[in-house]
Amino acid sequence: MPSVNYDLFKQAMRMRKQIFCMYDGHPRELCPVILGHSQGQEKALTYQVGGTSKSVLPPGGEWRCLFLSKVSNVQLRDGSWRVGSSHTQLQRCVEIVDMDVNPSSPYHR
């Protein structure tokens, strides 16, 4: 059975809503793109558009791989949907892809 966080990320993806949440003690503003599982854990490949993290966030944003068990205080909100400039490499964040909102997705989900 999916977690509450999993369901919220899925809803955000369907509605193209940004997510504001806490992850590893940092506030994050995210656009989730791929949702699924790796080694039995729920994971999401996201594009971080604001907030902070352990590393510096470039001005245009950056791809981030998240364990949903470490996400808290999830809020869906309106905002521009951004996912970076290209999808030229296969992602390695999510092994079993349940949902992918990339229009040129190789996963077709």
Side-chain angles (χ1 to χ4, degrees):
M1 183 149 133
S3 70
V4 171
N5 284 343
Y6 187 95
D7 288 339
L8 288 169
F9 271 64
K10 190 173 189 177
Q11 181 181 356
M13 292 168 73
R14 283 191 176 137
M15 299 173 67
R16 299 297 193 271
K17 297 273 189 181
Q18 286 186 4
I19 287 178
F20 180 79
C21 65
M22 295 296 292
Y23 188 80
D24 277 346
H26 294 274
R28 309 266 181 132
E29 298 171 36
L30 311 164
C31 294
V33 177
I34 296 178
L35 186 63
H37 297 82
S38 292
Q39 300 176 353
Q41 295 191 60
E42 296 173 337
K43 291 182 83 177
L45 180 63
T46 68
Y47 197 75
Q48 184 174 345
V49 297
T52 63
S53 68
K54 292 177 186 174
S55 60
V56 175
L57 184 66
E62 187 166 63
W63 292 101
R64 304 286 192 198
C65 183
L66 307 180
F67 288 94
L68 297 188
S69 61
K70 294 182 175 183
V71 175
S72 62
N73 302 323
V74 177
Q75 300 170 29
L76 277 60
R77 66 181 195 182
D78 293 328
S80 63
W81 184 263
R82 292 187 284 167
V83 293
S85 58
S86 68
H87 299 278
T88 58
Q89 297 180 353
L90 288 176
Q91 60 88 23
R92 294 193 174 137
C93 172
V94 180
E95 293 173 1
I96 300 168
V97 174
D98 298 328
M99 186 174 186
D100 183 349
V101 296
N102 173 6
S104 57
S105 168
Y107 305 105
H108 305 291
R109 297 184 180 160

